[in-house]
Amino acid sequence: MVDVLVVVQKEADASELLTIAKKVGEPVALTYGNSEIEKLTKYFNKVYRIKEDDPNSIFFAIKTLYEKLNPKLVVGMSSKNLKDAYSRLAGIYDLPLATDIFDFNVSGSKVTYKRSFLSGRAIETEEVTMPLLLLVSPRKTQKSEGNSNGSIEELSIGNSSNVVIKERKEKVKGGVNLEAAEFIISVGRGFKNKDDLKLAFDLAELAGAQIGCSRPIAADLKWLTEDHWVGLSGKKVAPKVYLMFGISGAPQHLAGITDAKTVIAVNNDKTAPIFKNADYGIVADLYQFIPILTKKLKERH
Amino acid sequence: MSTLGDIVVLIKPALNPEMIRSLPDGGVDFDNIPLKLSDIDRNAIEEANRLKELLKGKIYSITISTWGPIAKRDKDIKMAIQEGLAKGVDEAILLEDDSITPGDQITTASAIVSILNKFNIKPDIILTGEATIDGFSGQVAGRVAAKLNLPYISFARKIDLNGNKVIAERDLEDYVEVVETQLPAVISVTREINSPKPPTLIQIRMASKKPQHVVKLSDLTNVAMPKKKLAEAKVLSVKRKQTMIEGKSLEEVADKLIEILEQEGVLKH
Ligand SMILES: Cc1cc2nc3c(=O)[nH]c(=O)nc-3n(C[C@H](O)[C@H](O)[C@H](O)COP(=O)(O)OP(=O)(O)OC[C@H]3O[C@@H](n4cnc5c(N)ncnc54)[C@H](O)[C@@H]3O)c2cc1C
Ligand SMILES: Nc1ncnc2c1ncn2[C@@H]1O[C@H](COP(=O)(O)O)[C@@H](O)[C@H]1O
């Protein structure tokens, strides 16, 4: 009897997903593409594998296992490809599906979980009856130790994919890892030219900070690569200090920094909404202020 | 293969997060948050216009109202639909019914399919946003595709047509994937696909002359009832100190800031 189907590639995700699965019952796993399969066998008694890693194939595999095993819960870590794959299975069987959830709880066949709502401005609690599909927000669930010694079974889905992959282009990265950064200096539309970002980069280098940015800087202007992008549709960060220059404080940007410990904003408009959402505010022109701050930090060394 | 070249764009009047209101107990004051056309659906409409020039068919919009009570929301809902019509939608279909509010994606997807059947619309492309600004769930497009047994391309940031083929760029976390499929297909778009502009006054005036159909649940068949219950919604209150750092000169302000950074332990020594 299988209660939970866990769709997973990485050990770090498996350790969190197992915590959720155990609240419901006995799990098995499905893994796909280039995965840490040997490590996954520590967490599950059975790991099904497909070689493919496109959403269409993942969907076929989940569907095959769902129909065979009849689990109460199909769970995975939120990602774009899994949102794609899960939504299709949910559509076929009219199953409830929730994405980016945390705080999962079970009582009988009733399930509750929380998720961000209204572009990050609220938290909702939803109540659903199993069976259901869930995609979990990473790093919000306690980890479980794995002590299984599971077997691996190749799953053949007889690829009938109607979407053909022509090419995959790796995204250019700026070499930042904002999720792990303790100190982030973030830049917004207050900068007038791409070259001016040097002000912030020099400061960041001196201070040992990583550079983040608002959406327009990465998406519209493309001055920085997407790994710098913070917010609702960018990275969710949790540094000790988030120091921002020339960012207005739109709710979609704030959605990325709710877990930051101390938020500091520099903006030349004293009515900028960011000042209501910062621990410390400085009304200043960034073009005047950053060089002074940089000079002072240099002197300190 | 359908050859009419019609396009369907799915558009949702969503709760406007910028206008969030809180009840005294911190709960979300749903009744006093207005609806607006979900931002990313604007990109879907814009893309529909571009593709229409190649496909030469009509653009239909379909809307399932999910927030009630309808009597109170009707004006906002119609405004969102009007915006679609002003921006190039030729004909709009709306399901309004208090018995399915607050709705969920199960109801929404099944109602969309039911409307396609009722109005006998067989589009070449169904366009959606990647997610809505209220629920941000990113699942309605995949549900609709699966129900109609159509190919689904999610998170498209670029779409090209070549005869009966669609070539699209999917924008994923670590890579961009170029994919190809046959029409008809369902495609969800990201905000990066284009830059829609607000409608002009003339466009808005023209819009009111375009056909709009409002249907009720009783006009449709096979619409699934909502299964998810919104048990609670709390306004997120991240309390920040809101202290202004001031000084006689920017030098003094910089010193104070450095002191704070030191206290927080983020400066290397
Ligand atoms: C669905 C959706 C998702 C989104 N996702 C994100 C997201 O993930 N991340 C994100 O950031 N945004 C996101 N946005 C966009 C968001 O709504 C804002 O448009 C964006 O955050 C604004 O960026 P900004 O603050 O850099 O620019 P602006 O709002 O233009 O602000 C610039 C600020 O700089 C200040 N300024 C100007 N000159 C100076 C100077 N010389 N010195 C100091 N200050 C100066 C101005 O006073 C102003 O406050 C999203 C929007 C939508 C609809
Ligand atoms: N109630 C609705 N009516 C019409 N289209 C919708 C509705 N809900 C969602 N959609 C479409 O599906 C997309 C994704 O929505 P969601 O899955 O709810 O995040 C939206 O951008 C719309 O294009």
Side-chain angles (χ1 to χ4, degrees):
Chain A
M1 175 77 191
V2 169
D3 302 296
V4 186
L5 174 62
V6 179
V7 184
V8 62
Q9 273 189 309
K10 297 205 173 75
E11 181 179 15
D13 294 343
S15 64
E16 293 180 19
L17 293 169
L18 183 59
T19 308
I20 290 176
K22 283 196 300 198
K23 292 188 182 181
V24 176
E26 183 60 30
V28 297
L30 164 69
T31 193
Y32 55 94
N34 183 13
S35 81
E36 300 174 350
I37 183 151
E38 294 301 334
K39 289 178 183 157
L40 297 180
T41 57
K42 277 199 309 200
Y43 294 84
F44 306 98
N45 288 328
K46 177 126 206 179
V47 182
Y48 294 92
R49 166 169 53 188
I50 57 166
K51 293 186 297 298
E52 297 83 355
D53 64 352
D54 62 290
N56 218 11
S57 303
I58 300 169
F59 159 62
F60 281 129
I62 306 177
K63 181 167 176 290
T64 303
L65 291 175
Y66 183 79
E67 287 165 357
K68 176 175 146 147
L69 306 168
N70 242 315
K72 294 183 217 156
L73 172 68
V74 184
V75 67
M77 217 39 105
S78 270
S79 73
K80 291 184 177 176
N81 273 341
L82 287 193
K83 282 182 183 172
D84 180 323
Y86 274 51
S87 65
R88 302 188 203 202
L89 182 69
I92 288 189
Y93 293 112
D94 279 342
L95 292 168
L97 159 64
T99 53
D100 306 297
I101 68 116
F102 56 97
D103 275 9
F104 171 82
N105 279 300
V106 188
S107 126
S109 65
K110 269 225 178 80
V111 161
T112 62
Y113 50 81
K114 294 199 166 98
R115 57 192 303 277
S116 163
F117 184 53
L118 290 172
S119 295
R121 305 208 61 187
I123 303 281
E124 61 168 336
T125 306
E126 287 184 344
E127 205 178 278
V128 194
T129 309
M130 292 190 277
L132 88 154
L133 280 62
L134 290 177
L135 287 169
V136 181
S137 240
R139 296 184 309 276
K140 293 204 165 181
T141 309
Q142 264 195 324
K143 292 180 186 295
S144 284
E145 294 281 331
N147 44 25
S148 300
N149 181 16
S151 61
I152 297 172
E153 184 176 327
E154 299 292 332
L155 197 65
S156 169
I157 47 166
N159 201 346
S160 49
S161 180
N162 48 16
V163 177
V164 182
I165 300 173
K166 292 280 167 186
E167 192 188 348
R168 276 184 183 170
K169 303 184 260 192
E170 287 296 315
K171 283 191 178 172
V172 185
K173 295 211 169 146
V176 284
N177 182 5
L178 291 187
E179 278 114 333
E182 292 217 319
F183 186 13
I184 296 174
I185 290 178
S186 205
V187 298
R189 285 301 313 264
F191 286 81
K192 295 183 182 68
N193 297 293
K194 183 178 177 184
D195 290 345
D196 300 345
L197 296 182
K198 191 169 183 307
L199 290 170
F201 273 91
D202 287 348
L203 176 66
E205 194 183 338
L206 201 60
Q210 301 213 30
I211 294 282
C213 69
S214 63
R215 181 183 179 278
I217 303 293
D220 304 329
L221 301 165
K222 299 196 168 46
W223 290 350
L224 292 176
T225 51
E226 288 171 19
D227 48 346
H228 292 276
W229 171 353
V230 174
L232 180 69
S233 38
K235 304 277 185 231
K236 315 280 181 291
V237 300
K240 283 187 189 158
V241 174
Y242 190 81
L243 170 58
M244 51 222 287
F245 294 99
I247 291 179
S248 61
Q252 297 88 356
H253 188 79
L254 300 177
I257 61 170
T258 48
D259 293 334
K261 185 169 161 277
T262 299
V263 170
I264 308 173
V266 180
N267 196 303
N268 65 356
D269 173 5
K270 68 175 190 308
T271 67
I274 191 56
F275 290 129
K276 290 226 165 9
N277 293 286
D279 294 294
Y280 300 100
I282 295 171
V283 181
D285 183 331
L286 68 91
Y287 285 92
Q288 290 171 9
F289 186 66
I290 298 181
I292 294 172
L293 184 62
T294 308
K295 183 164 157 281
K296 291 262 176 195
L297 273 177
K298 267 198 193 126
E299 286 167 7
R300 199 177 146 271
H301 275 252
Chain B
M1 211 67 57
S2 83
T3 49
L4 297 172
D6 290 343
I7 299 172
V8 165
V9 31
L10 303 181
I11 61 174
K12 178 178 178 180
L15 292 169
N16 183 350
E18 332 264 316
M19 307 282 275
I20 193 166
R21 295 282 176 277
S22 165
L23 294 165
D25 69 352
V28 172
D29 182 4
F30 284 96
D31 290 349
N32 289 306
I33 305 178
L35 305 178
K36 71 159 186 174
L37 179 58
S38 187
D39 290 76
I40 312 175
D41 297 354
R42 299 200 165 103
N43 299 87
I45 294 168
E46 184 85 0
E47 202 57 17
N49 274 300
R50 204 180 62 77
L51 297 173
K52 178 182 166 171
E53 289 184 11
L54 303 166
L55 290 170
K56 314 278 183 210
K58 267 171 82 166
I59 304 176
Y60 294 89
S61 71
I62 298 180
T63 301
I64 314 302
S65 52
T66 47
W67 299 110
I70 300 296
K72 186 161 177 182
R73 302 288 192 188
D74 185 59
K75 196 158 153 274
D76 286 358
I77 295 169
K78 298 273 168 64
M79 283 261 285
I81 288 167
Q82 181 93 351
E83 186 177 334
L85 291 165
K87 288 292 293 180
V89 171
D90 297 300
E91 194 164 333
I93 303 161
L94 162 66
L95 168 60
E96 270 185 337
D97 203 309
D98 276 316
S99 63
I100 50 163
T101 61
D104 68 5
Q105 299 89 355
I106 297 174
T107 303
T108 299
S110 60
I112 287 165
V113 171
S114 180
I115 285 175
L116 288 171
N117 289 336
K118 180 182 167 72
F119 288 83
N120 198 23
I121 303 170
K122 297 195 170 57
D124 274 353
I125 302 186
I126 299 179
L127 287 168
T128 84
E130 64 163 295
T132 53
I133 50 164
D134 47 5
F136 216 76
S137 78
Q139 52 171 282
V140 167
R143 284 180 183 270
V144 170
K147 284 180 170 299
L148 296 171
N149 197 17
L150 292 180
Y152 173 37
I153 298 176
S154 55
F155 306 101
R157 66 164 201 194
K158 189 164 185 282
I159 304 174
D160 285 318
L161 292 182
N162 183 358
N164 226 355
K165 284 199 191 109
V166 198
I167 299 105
E169 284 188 13
R170 299 183 62 227
D171 192 345
L172 300 168
E173 288 87 349
D174 298 323
Y175 53 87
V176 173
E177 184 175 83
V178 185
V179 296
E180 186 183 292
T181 195
Q182 298 279 328
L183 296 179
V186 178
I187 309 180
S188 77
V189 306
T190 69
R191 276 188 89 212
E192 286 67 53
I193 196 164
N194 53 39
S195 320
K197 289 180 189 61
T200 61
L201 272 175
I202 298 171
Q203 285 175 318
I204 294 173
R205 220 172 299 140
M206 302 273 282
S208 55
K209 299 199 183 77
K210 294 182 175 179
Q212 297 185 42
H213 313 273
V214 183
V215 295
K216 294 217 153 312
L217 197 60
S218 53
D219 299 319
L220 301 174
T221 48
N222 290 326
V223 178
M225 284 296 122
K227 290 185 184 165
K228 285 207 251 182
K229 195 174 142 221
L230 186 57
E232 188 185 73
K234 291 263 180 212
V235 175
L236 187 67
S237 63
V238 183
K239 290 271 178 295
R240 297 288 177 193
K241 292 196 198 79
Q242 302 183 31
T243 307
M244 298 308 284
I245 307 177
E246 286 158 348
K248 284 196 247 5
S249 63
L250 286 181
E251 279 78 8
E252 196 184 322
V253 173
D255 284 333
K256 288 184 182 167
L257 175 56
I258 289 171
E259 210 170 291
I260 291 168
L261 296 177
E262 269 172 352
Q263 279 164 16
E264 296 292 333
V266 292
L267 286 186
K268 289 184 292 190
H269 291 281

